[in-house]
Amino acid sequence: MRTAFLAAGLLLGAAASAGAQQAHLLVVTGLGGDPTYREQFHAWATTLVEAATARYDLPPERITYLGEDPELDPERIAGRSTRENIAAAVDALAEGSASGDHVVIVLFGHGSESGRPRVNLPGRDLAADDYAALLDRLEGRRITFVNTASASGPFVESLSGPDRLVMTATRSGREWNAALFGGYFVDAFADGESDADVNKDSRVSMLEAFTYARLRVAQAYESEGLLLTEHALLDDNGDGAGALEPDPLEGDGRMARTLFLASGEATASAMAFPDDPELRPLYDERAALEARVEDLRGLRGGLDAEQYERQLQTLLVEIALKSREIRRLEAARGAPEEGR
């Protein structure tokens, strides 16, 4: 399994600085249809919210959770996931965020392509073009919009645009079986973090989360001997055509590798002891290795493919070893291991 994720890492960039922008998270669960799905969607939503706060230091005031039934978790769920409440939440994001901030919107539920592509909500649904209009209210922000529902593929074309990262669980509206993608996407920020964090920089980018979830979905279907009926897409170059396997050097994925669930200030806390005389050089050495990865990627077109992959894999291994050395020293200094 680790070999598969290392191979995927050959197509992922070393994490770029997230800058000083703030991150904001809106989580929405639609109609479950039955108690099993209602509880599943709620579990995925709460796991994501908990990871955002506990692992990525996202302040609770910058997280909003709208659910089918607020009584499931009155302390976490701010309101029912109606079209009116979702629109109000987006307006609040527009008011409470600034240009350059990163706004993450994640939908869990069942989708449909009948009429207009949509996710089923209590009351009247919001269709893909309705969400596109809502995102227009967030002009100037960098947006990650993740639709983990079945039949979600058409959302890519409707929502694609500059400074927008759009992920869907399926590549078309005809893939209508209940999707597994949402659970694995959440797991990338929670229990699966160590595998999802391919470049071992102690944080999971949106590109790493997508790749982790896509691979895990395929493995789940294979282990059950089932034909794969969901194919996740990612679009972040604004062309309206999602990629099944994004490559930041060739098209989609360039922005996704720089976007995180945490703000710039929180991700900077990956350095637990920035002034430590033993650790500071290790941090600098890891940063230098990451810079060499970026330099190598710039030379990709002039290198033999086998040579390029061999050199890149060597650098990724060196980064992983350097990160392990850092974690050992940090543990000796008393840094908590959870979330790192």
Side-chain angles (χ1 to χ4, degrees):
M1 180 177 293
R2 298 195 63 84
T3 301
F5 286 112
L6 181 57
L10 297 177
L11 298 180
L12 299 176
S17 171
Q21 85 279 351
Q22 300 291 329
H24 309 261
L25 175 64
L26 170 60
V27 178
V28 177
T29 59
L31 292 175
D34 64 52
T36 299
Y37 284 116
R38 186 180 305 117
E39 293 171 9
Q40 180 185 83
F41 297 152
H42 174 62
W44 289 353
T46 54
T47 300
L48 183 61
V49 169
E50 289 169 359
T53 54
R55 295 175 181 261
Y56 290 90
D57 299 323
L58 198 61
E61 61 269 21
R62 287 198 257 126
I63 300 174
T64 301
Y65 172 16
L66 301 176
E68 175 185 1
D69 181 9
E71 292 303 314
L72 281 175
D73 196 340
E75 291 188 6
R76 284 197 183 96
I77 302 177
R80 203 162 188 233
S81 52
T82 62
R83 61 181 290 135
E84 293 80 12
N85 285 343
I86 293 172
V90 172
D91 284 339
L93 285 170
E95 181 69 24
S97 62
S99 180
D101 280 2
H102 179 208
V103 175
V104 183
I105 300 174
V106 183
L107 307 184
F108 300 107
H110 298 298
S112 171
E113 196 187 22
S114 60
R116 298 183 298 162
R118 66 191 66 231
V119 175
N120 299 329
L121 300 174
R124 291 190 301 149
D125 297 333
L126 285 168
D129 53 353
D130 296 320
Y131 284 104
L134 290 177
L135 296 191
D136 288 340
R137 304 178 189 180
L138 298 170
E139 184 178 2
R141 285 75 170 168
R142 296 196 296 171
I143 299 169
T144 293
F145 187 97
V146 186
N147 184 352
T148 71
S150 52
S152 51
F155 273 66
V156 169
E157 183 177 358
S158 295
L159 272 62
S160 180
D163 294 323
R164 292 184 184 179
L165 161 60
V166 183
M167 296 185 209
T168 59
T170 75
R171 62 183 172 188
S172 76
R174 293 182 297 277
E175 293 184 328
W176 53 70
N177 292 336
L180 302 180
F181 179 84
Y184 290 119
F185 175 79
V186 168
D187 191 52
F189 300 103
D191 292 342
E193 185 182 45
S194 60
D195 280 329
D197 180 18
V198 175
N199 62 9
K200 303 306 174 189
D201 67 345
S202 300
R203 54 184 181 169
V204 174
S205 72
M206 290 297 165
L207 180 58
E208 287 174 321
F210 174 84
T211 301
Y212 173 89
R214 178 180 61 80
L215 292 174
R216 282 297 180 92
V217 166
Q219 290 165 0
Y221 275 84
E222 183 179 0
S223 67
E224 295 293 327
L226 300 174
L227 180 67
L228 187 63
T229 59
E230 60 180 280
H231 300 80
L233 294 178
L234 183 151
D235 170 70
D236 67 359
N237 64 3
D239 66 355
L244 292 167
E245 298 183 23
D247 181 349
L249 293 176
E250 301 295 336
D252 291 307
R254 185 182 299 273
M255 186 173 77
R257 69 176 181 172
T258 70
L259 296 178
F260 301 86
L261 195 56
S263 67
E265 290 88 343
T267 54
S269 68
M271 285 194 245
F273 303 97
D275 298 321
D276 186 284
E278 287 188 76
L279 276 163
R280 182 72 229 192
L282 295 178
Y283 293 140
D284 292 340
E285 290 166 13
R286 182 171 64 183
L289 287 168
E290 292 173 344
R292 286 175 60 190
V293 169
E294 293 302 309
D295 291 341
L296 179 62
R297 291 181 184 282
L299 299 173
R300 181 180 186 182
L303 294 176
D304 173 76
E306 184 176 348
Q307 180 187 12
Y308 167 80
E309 292 191 2
R310 184 170 60 251
Q311 291 184 25
L312 183 56
Q313 183 170 350
T314 298
L315 287 172
L316 290 173
V317 170
E318 289 183 24
I319 290 172
L321 292 174
K322 189 68 63 178
S323 295
R324 185 170 65 182
E325 187 177 359
I326 288 171
R327 287 195 296 272
R328 285 176 176 171
L329 264 180
E330 288 176 340
R333 302 290 194 272
E337 294 186 4
E338 183 177 357
R340 296 194 58 75

